[in-house]
Amino acid sequence: MKPLPVEAYVEGVRASERSMLARAITLIESEHPKHEALAQEVLTRLLPYTGGALRVGISGVPGVGKSTFIDALGMHLVGLGKRVAVLAIDPSSTVSGGSILGDKTRMARLSRESLAYIRPSPSSGTLGGVARKTRETLLLCEAAGFDVVLVETVGVGQSETVVADMVDFYLVLMLAGAGDELQGIKRGILEIADMIAINKADGDNAVRAERARAEYRAALHLMRPGAEPEVTTCSALENTNIERVWSSLEKRLEAQRASGELEKRRRVQQVQWMWSMIEDGLRAALHAHPGVAELGPALEHDVREGRATPTLAARRVLGTFLSGPLPSPLGRGTG
């Protein structure tokens, strides 16, 4: 793809041109070094037009029906006259690096709506299943005038704090009777959730869903006393209680906006984002360093064979990278 002038991207996104928004996102996602400066210039120009959308993260255990739920929720929002952008983070193919689930095809109704925009995006192995450029894509969607941006994560039990740190509200979908084998996934997610929705509360499963709702409320009362998130039930398939989920979510965000809490949260997230990008840049620079590339294989072999401790090997790698002695605090590890 041949890059366009900055002005073309800016004007196209501001005019809500779908083709130009797609090209701008592709530019943001590009790994080509020559595209990065252009992408950042485009973002800088668009920054004054961002911040107007409600940012909602949606996650949950595998098989909970995230795409079906987002399809139902998105249709409800479109019915209210809202413009909805969905950033659906797919697991990455280990062969091509591309998306493999095809969320756009699983949101059949919403994908046909003129007020909706769905962007499947590969996670590229990023922790928490969130694509590295998702934050910047979110800003582009806001600059294009979308009222709500929904971020769907892979939901494979990795650190879902990644998405929680970029949205205003974190909604977690759960299943009734999912089994104890998912408790490890559940606990980490429940500690940061703003709302729990027991999905597939229909048919014979409706009674189990209500029982699960009571159990989650009791568990959250112990886990997060005084700050328990709301727990509700819904059925994306039958389109029941979807309106209630959105109403509760919107009321909470309106209260946070009025109190200034929402703006404060976003400012904290911006700083966290900066440090995350610094860490990503340092990691990339470390692996690209010729001295580290030359030293790495031999050190890995020595660590595997027990001839060197991980701590001493790490000190040698970082010493090479920094081209000087390493500060002593790093040596406090135990190898």
Side-chain angles (χ1 to χ4, degrees):
M1 179 194 73
K2 184 178 179 181
L4 302 172
V6 172
E7 201 61 40
Y9 288 109
V10 173
E11 291 180 359
V13 170
R14 288 290 298 133
S16 300
E17 296 176 9
R18 287 173 176 265
S19 60
M20 194 56 69
L21 175 58
R23 293 192 66 165
I25 294 174
T26 299
L27 177 70
I28 291 295
E29 293 178 342
S30 174
E31 298 292 336
H32 198 295
K34 291 184 179 180
H35 293 167
E36 184 174 358
L38 178 61
Q40 292 307 309
E41 187 174 353
V42 170
L43 277 172
T44 300
R45 291 279 300 277
L46 289 172
L47 208 55
Y49 307 104
T50 64
L54 294 180
R55 307 166 180 176
V56 181
I58 300 177
S59 187
V61 297
V64 76
K66 290 186 293 294
S67 295
T68 305
F69 176 85
I70 292 174
D71 192 45
L73 177 61
M75 290 301 296
H76 172 67
L77 295 175
V78 166
L80 296 176
K82 296 183 182 295
R83 299 186 63 212
V84 184
V86 179
L87 307 183
I89 313 302
D90 272 353
S92 295
S93 164
T94 56
V95 178
S96 68
S99 302
I100 61 177
L101 290 186
D103 284 88
K104 196 166 185 176
T105 63
R106 293 185 286 124
M107 301 176 192
R109 295 180 300 165
L110 193 60
S111 63
R112 295 193 295 266
E113 288 292 333
S114 60
L115 291 179
Y117 179 78
I118 302 174
R119 176 75 181 202
S121 178
S123 65
S124 303
T126 306
L127 185 65
V130 180
R132 184 168 62 90
K133 298 294 187 179
T134 301
R135 291 181 178 90
E136 293 175 346
T137 301
L138 187 154
L139 294 179
L140 288 178
C141 290
E142 289 187 335
F146 287 94
D147 303 301
V148 181
V149 180
L150 305 176
V151 182
E152 177 196 7
T153 70
V154 175
V156 292
Q158 293 174 309
S159 179
E160 297 295 318
T161 55
V162 177
V163 67
D165 286 342
M166 73 171 74
V167 297
D168 305 323
F169 194 94
Y170 188 48
L171 171 63
V172 177
L173 301 177
M174 287 293 182
L175 291 171
D180 291 337
E181 70 277 5
L182 293 174
Q183 291 301 321
I185 296 176
K186 291 179 184 177
R187 181 171 180 85
I189 293 178
L190 295 182
E191 288 174 343
I192 56 176
D194 293 304
M195 179 187 289
I196 308 296
I198 314 298
N199 194 24
K200 302 187 179 181
D202 45 54
D204 295 338
N205 203 44
V207 174
R208 287 192 293 271
E210 282 298 329
R211 188 181 305 122
R213 176 174 176 265
E215 291 172 353
Y216 276 116
R217 289 186 65 182
L220 287 164
H221 181 70
L222 297 174
M223 186 186 301
R224 297 168 58 176
E228 303 100 315
E230 180 180 350
V231 184
T232 188
T233 61
C234 66
S235 171
L237 189 63
E238 295 185 350
N239 204 39
T240 54
N241 286 344
I242 301 299
E243 180 180 354
R244 187 172 69 184
V245 168
W246 176 254
S247 177
S248 296
L249 184 159
E250 191 173 36
K251 285 179 181 177
R252 174 165 172 173
L253 289 180
E254 286 176 353
Q256 290 179 350
R257 192 186 295 277
S259 68
E261 183 180 345
L262 183 61
E263 180 62 23
K264 181 180 178 180
R265 178 172 179 170
R266 287 187 174 186
R267 289 180 184 274
V268 170
Q269 288 175 343
Q270 286 289 91
V271 175
Q272 291 173 334
W273 181 2
M274 179 193 76
W275 283 109
S276 175
M277 295 302 293
I278 290 172
E279 291 169 5
D280 285 347
L282 285 173
R283 188 178 297 110
L286 177 67
H287 288 289
H289 191 283
V292 171
E294 182 179 351
L295 183 65
L299 281 177
E300 288 179 4
H301 181 267
D302 287 346
V303 170
R304 273 196 303 268
E305 297 300 320
R307 290 197 290 265
T309 67
T311 296
L312 290 178
R315 287 176 60 82
R316 285 195 62 189
V317 168
L318 290 173
T320 300
F321 177 63
L322 297 172
S323 300
L326 190 65
S328 57
L330 188 74
R332 293 174 184 170
T334 58

